[in-house]
């Protein structure tokens, strides 16, 4: 499979975010807050995570472009990542969905500033430097495009699990 261009990444991410918003806009608050198990996130937590992670990874890609060779990334225990899912009872469903919806324009605007050449700038991940450098296209493709698509599938899995218990 060939590597996507900036515009293709942007369109793909925007499309997936739109699908997430459309799917969640028709769900009840009870469904969005339902947790399949203690170990799994509710749809609300998934939305909150997407809302926090997408700007984080765009910022990381921009940072690599500004300082090629600088380490990028974060660990699973990063405080902002954990805070996004830590207290779902304090989250507003409508505000969280609106925040994900706002990402559509944010992604379009931010990625429009990237050039095709910038996709090839390389830097090491702070946790996996032993694997060598990764291009900006990897950050956008894996940590944003594939990541958001994976969370759309996670939302559907939650809905499938809820349908089995009802």
């Amino acid at each position: 499979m060939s590597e996507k261009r900036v515009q293709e990444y942007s369109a793909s991410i925007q499309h997936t975010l739109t699908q997430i918003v459309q799917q969640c806009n028709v769900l009840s608050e009870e469904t969005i807050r339902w947790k399949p198990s203690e170990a799994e996130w509710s749809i609300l937590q998934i939305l909150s995570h997407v809302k926090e992670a997408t700007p984080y990874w765009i910022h990381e890609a921009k940072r690599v472009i500004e300082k090629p060779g600088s380490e990028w990334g974060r660990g699973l225990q990063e405080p902002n990542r954990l805070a996004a899912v830590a207290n779902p009872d304090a989250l507003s469903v409508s505000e969280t969905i609106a925040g994900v919806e706002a990402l559509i324009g944010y992604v379009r605007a931010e990625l429009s500033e990237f050039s095709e050449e910038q996709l090839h700038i390389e830097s090491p991940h702070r946790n996996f430097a032993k694997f060598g450098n990764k291009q900006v296209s990897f950050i956008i493709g894996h940590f944003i495009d594939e990541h958001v698509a994976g969370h759309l599938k996670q939302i559907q899995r939650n809905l499938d699990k809820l349908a089995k218990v009802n």
Side-chain angles (χ1 to χ4, degrees):
M1 182 172 149
S2 64
E3 186 176 293
K4 290 181 181 176
R5 298 175 58 83
V6 173
Q7 188 176 11
E8 293 168 320
Y9 280 123
S10 182
S12 177
I13 296 162
Q14 290 175 66
H15 177 73
T16 304
L17 291 168
T18 299
Q19 287 181 294
I20 289 171
V21 169
Q22 288 173 344
Q23 186 165 35
C24 292
N25 272 335
V26 299
L27 299 175
S28 69
E29 181 161 338
E30 181 182 11
T31 297
I32 291 174
R33 290 186 179 279
W34 180 78
K35 280 181 62 102
S37 71
E38 263 317 298
E40 296 172 279
W41 287 349
S42 66
I43 292 172
L44 183 57
Q45 288 171 297
I46 296 165
L47 294 171
S48 183
H49 171 69
V50 167
K51 182 180 150 193
E52 181 276 328
T54 303
Y56 175 85
W57 289 112
I58 288 175
H59 174 75
E60 284 296 274
K62 288 172 80 169
R63 206 171 51 70
V64 167
I65 289 167
E66 291 168 8
K67 293 184 179 182
S70 62
E71 291 185 338
W72 58 271
R74 66 180 178 180
L76 295 177
Q77 299 305 313
E78 196 272 330
N80 290 333
R81 179 186 181 279
L82 295 175
V85 298
N87 189 8
D89 291 339
L91 296 173
S92 160
V93 169
S94 61
E95 288 175 13
T96 304
I97 293 172
V100 173
E101 187 169 20
L103 289 174
I104 298 165
Y106 174 81
V107 166
R108 180 176 39 255
E110 292 295 318
L111 292 187
S112 73
E113 296 177 10
F114 288 54
S115 71
E116 299 305 322
E117 295 77 31
Q118 290 172 326
L119 291 180
H120 302 290
I121 295 172
E122 295 184 354
S123 286
H125 189 284
R126 71 179 184 96
N127 297 324
F128 304 109
K130 66 183 178 182
F131 298 119
N133 291 343
K134 295 292 183 188
Q135 294 183 349
V136 168
S137 62
F138 177 79
I139 298 170
I140 296 169
H142 180 70
F143 288 97
I144 305 172
D145 194 16
E146 292 174 17
H147 185 241
V148 172
H151 286 304
L152 175 60
K153 291 177 185 172
Q154 185 182 15
I155 289 168
Q156 189 55 55
R157 283 193 306 271
N158 277 21
L159 294 172
D160 292 344
K161 289 176 183 183
L162 181 59
K164 288 179 183 175
V165 298
N166 284 339

